[in-house]
Amino acid sequence: MVEASENHSHEGVVIVRNGDAAQRLGTLQPRMCGQVVGLTGADPYADGGDPVTERLRELGFEEGAAFEVLHQGPVWGDPMAVRVDSVTVALRRREANSVIVNLTVEADAVQVGAVEAG
């Protein structure tokens, strides 16, 4: 659970700053938003590339990209729908756990563009 150190309200959006505590995207619930910090890759191939990490980058999960968790599936939360910048993608939790994020916003109805930079 994220312990908020600072709360603000802006146009119906509650901004919760968590002191830059990095989390894995796969652990978040719907309506949680923030920014991508980086990606982790397990078992890199001989050429140095992890196919999951490379695919996540192609989908827009780059450092600094804004995201919002939109939905999670009924069985163990798989798959989960995530909006990253202006693209909506479905990810399995094991893939989402490769994305390291900072939670910056939890809102009722938020557009990713409304996420404030920390």
Side-chain angles (χ1 to χ4, degrees):
M1 178 171 220
V2 175
E3 189 172 310
S5 59
E6 189 178 329
N7 293 330
H8 300 281
S9 182
H10 176 68
E11 297 179 23
V13 175
V14 178
I15 300 171
V16 180
R17 301 214 184 277
N18 65 0
D20 295 326
Q23 301 177 51
R24 293 184 181 273
L25 179 60
T27 65
L28 302 182
Q29 300 298 314
R31 296 179 29 202
M32 291 181 149
C33 305
Q35 289 188 329
V36 175
V37 174
L39 300 172
T40 62
D43 303 320
Y45 287 39
D47 64 356
D50 176 15
V52 172
T53 302
E54 289 178 19
R55 183 67 178 142
L56 289 168
R57 278 195 182 97
E58 291 171 359
L59 292 171
F61 290 94
E62 293 284 343
E63 184 175 341
F67 76 89
E68 177 185 1
V69 178
L70 301 173
H71 178 77
Q72 59 186 13
V75 180
W76 298 303
D78 256 348
M80 59 189 303
V82 179
R83 181 180 302 127
V84 59
D85 287 333
S86 61
V87 178
T88 302
V89 297
L91 299 173
R92 297 213 179 271
R93 286 216 180 256
R94 71 174 182 265
E95 297 163 341
N97 281 330
S98 295
V99 182
I100 307 301
V101 301
N102 277 334
L103 182 66
T104 56
V105 176
E106 185 172 355
D108 291 327
V110 64
Q111 295 178 358
V112 172
V115 174
E116 288 186 11

